[in-house]
Amino acid sequence: LTKTSFISHCNHVWMTHGFSNMPGHAFSISGTTKLLLQGVNPNVISIQGHWSFHTFLEYWHHIETILPPFI
């Protein structure tokens, strides 16, 4: 199962049930948010995801909840 076929299948299911398409990077965003909320160090996630730190910051959701413990 490739990433492309997985995303395509998910989007087919969601659209069939009245939801909009979800781009593949949305999975990365959600996974990143979950790890951050679990207390995983942002530097570890950035390195594991092969993201520049600036790009990584742009994808954070709930930054007001996540950022304070690391300042």
Side-chain angles (χ1 to χ4, degrees):
L1 182 63
T2 65
K3 176 183 175 181
T4 302
S5 63
F6 173 74
I7 299 297
S8 178
H9 176 73
C10 289
N11 282 323
H12 173 73
V13 170
W14 292 322
M15 290 183 70
T16 300
H17 290 90
F19 298 99
S20 60
N21 281 342
M22 182 183 296
H25 73 272
F27 287 95
S28 297
I29 294 167
S30 298
T32 298
T33 302
K34 182 171 177 79
L35 290 171
L36 290 168
L37 291 172
Q38 290 176 340
V40 176
N41 187 307
N43 290 324
V44 171
I45 298 169
S46 178
I47 291 166
Q48 289 290 318
H50 305 283
W51 295 357
S52 72
F53 199 71
H54 176 75
T55 300
F56 179 69
L57 289 174
E58 291 178 15
Y59 282 105
W60 276 11
H61 290 249
H62 309 292
I63 196 162
E64 55 282 283
T65 304
I66 297 164
L67 194 56
F70 298 101
I71 295 178

